[in-house]
């Protein structure tokens, strides 16, 4: 498990918004899809770098070049 997945699964407070890349503390209205849980994160919550995101019919994967990969399947399993 990469550092990014470990941070998300541990519930660590993001340093950067995973949907906008902005530093936390700045007020940004999340999109409707984001609020509903349908959007994949586009930015690493640890460093704010743009991630490589792959959307597939059953979910998504997002990979930060520095902090590893996050898979929606891990989040689905963790929430249940």
């Amino acid at each position: 498990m990469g550092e990014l997945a470990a941070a998300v699964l541990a519930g660590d407070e993001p340093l950067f918004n995973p949907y906008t890349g902005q530093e936390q503390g700045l007020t940004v209205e999340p999109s409707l899809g984001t609020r509903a849980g349908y959007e994949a994160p586009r930015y690493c919550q640890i460093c704010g770098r743009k991630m490589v995101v792959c959307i597939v019919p059953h979910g998504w994967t997002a990979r930060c070049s520095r902090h590893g990969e996050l898979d929606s399947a891990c989040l689905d399993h963790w929430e249940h």
Side-chain angles (χ1 to χ4, degrees):
M1 180 182 314
E3 187 177 351
L4 176 60
V8 171
L9 293 176
D12 292 352
E13 186 68 29
L15 301 175
F16 294 88
N17 185 302
Y19 302 101
T20 65
Q22 295 178 332
E23 287 187 57
Q24 289 296 68
L26 300 175
T27 56
V28 175
E29 183 67 28
S31 70
L32 182 60
T34 300
R35 286 183 278 163
Y38 296 128
E39 295 288 328
R42 304 290 175 170
Y43 297 87
C44 177
Q45 73 175 31
I46 299 171
C47 66
R49 290 186 192 293
K50 185 109 169 124
M51 295 193 291
V52 175
V53 177
C54 182
I55 307 294
V56 294
H58 61 276
W60 50 261
T61 59
R63 183 174 39 88
C64 172
S65 61
R66 298 245 170 126
H67 298 104
E69 187 170 288
L70 180 62
D71 189 322
S72 63
C74 293
L75 299 178
D76 289 341
H77 178 70
W78 180 68
E79 290 174 357
H80 292 61

